[in-house]
Amino acid sequence: ALDAGDLTVAPDRNPLAAVDRITELLREGGGAEIRAVSPVVIQQFNEAATEALDAGAEITLVIDRDVVETSVDSFESATDRALDNDDATVYVSSNRIEYGLFRYDDLTCVTAYDRRNNPRCVLESRDRAIAEWADDRFDSLLDDARPLSVVLEGA
């Protein structure tokens, strides 16, 4: 049987439940190699990623063009940090990204967003099959993504 894992759902009365859980998991990824895909830039995720990097993590992040436009406008310092930090590599996918994904060690997290781009639920799993699916998704997004630095130079 597939042990799907734990699901955190954000009810209307606690819309940040999913954000809080992801932030917590990212913070715990200090020292790991983190691969992530995100349809949005959220301040808490940036801060958690910065902490993970400070703790020795390596992060590869894939975002889409919409996020780049938001990022550059509203998160100048995080964008600069991503470009300057050797341990953080940001890629821009030519496809629209519609869900969140991150992986480190044996943990895989998949995040579903509502149409206002708020994270609504997070699935955490340590199941091999889910990890392999996530790695496939990640690799296929990376295949047609370009480094953020290249995208910004062309902007």
Side-chain angles (χ1 to χ4, degrees):
L2 179 70
D3 170 22
D6 299 315
L7 195 60
T8 300
V9 178
D12 290 336
R13 65 179 184 281
N14 182 12
L16 288 178
V19 171
D20 291 345
R21 187 63 190 135
I22 295 166
T23 303
E24 202 177 320
L25 291 165
L26 280 171
R27 285 207 164 96
E28 288 168 13
E33 192 181 318
I34 302 174
R35 307 175 81 190
V37 172
S38 183
V40 290
V41 171
I42 296 177
Q43 186 66 43
Q44 290 96 311
F45 295 175
N46 277 343
E47 288 166 7
T50 300
E51 281 185 36
L53 286 167
D54 289 343
E58 284 180 35
I59 300 179
T60 306
L61 171 65
V62 182
I63 54 179
D64 63 21
R65 291 212 67 115
D66 295 348
V67 179
V68 173
E69 283 155 25
T70 322
S71 260
V72 175
D73 297 342
S74 47
F75 298 103
E76 200 73 60
S77 67
T79 310
D80 290 346
R81 165 110 200 222
L83 291 175
D84 295 341
N85 191 318
D86 292 339
D87 295 322
T89 320
V90 181
Y91 292 92
V92 182
S93 171
S94 51
N95 296 317
R96 187 151 171 264
I97 292 174
E98 291 173 347
Y99 55 89
L101 196 62
F102 74 89
R103 261 190 52 51
Y104 61 79
D105 300 337
D106 63 345
L107 176 71
T108 304
C109 291
V110 184
T111 310
Y113 287 77
D114 65 18
R115 59 175 77 94
R116 288 192 306 281
N117 259 347
N118 299 310
R120 294 307 291 189
C121 62
V122 191
L123 171 70
E124 300 163 40
S125 178
R126 298 190 183 272
D127 190 282
R128 260 318 307 147
I130 293 177
E132 284 166 13
W133 170 85
D135 286 341
D136 282 349
R137 297 303 317 133
F138 194 86
D139 292 337
S140 72
L141 282 168
L142 263 187
D143 280 346
D144 60 21
R146 298 185 307 152
L148 178 62
S149 50
V150 173
V151 171
L152 291 178
E153 281 161 18

